[in-house]
Amino acid sequence: MGDEPKRRLRRGAIARATSAQLEDLGVDPTEHALAATALRLAAEVDSATDPKAAATAARELRQAMAVVVAAAPPKERGDKVDQLAERRRDRLSAAARKGGAG
């Protein structure tokens, strides 16, 4: 029963992508249990040798990340329209400074 050697989990592409997504969301896995679970599931997907085990872990990872994403704090960066409007304001204020200096 307890004689089975511990399996070592790999941190491959799935684990790295999950970690990057959590970082981008601003979610710390040491403070969010489901985020920590997502990292473990990602390592399970990366380490799976059985396709069924990989599919099961991937499905659970998808569900865990959906909850983490929904619970993540909103980002303060604007969308493309906000970025374009900011660049336009910058361009207009630079043109006004040029015109006012002469």
Side-chain angles (χ1 to χ4, degrees), residues 25-85:
L25 289 169
V27 176
D28 183 359
T30 62
E31 297 178 5
H32 193 285
L34 206 48
T37 302
L39 287 176
R40 171 64 188 238
L41 286 166
E44 290 285 348
V45 173
D46 284 332
S47 302
T49 55
D50 175 37
K52 284 184 180 181
T56 300
R59 183 176 52 251
E60 294 299 321
L61 173 60
R62 179 182 49 83
Q63 291 174 343
M65 286 302 293
V67 174
V68 170
V69 168
K75 289 192 172 187
E76 291 300 320
R77 59 183 181 211
D79 60 7
K80 285 286 187 190
V81 175
D82 293 337
Q83 293 169 4
L84 288 171

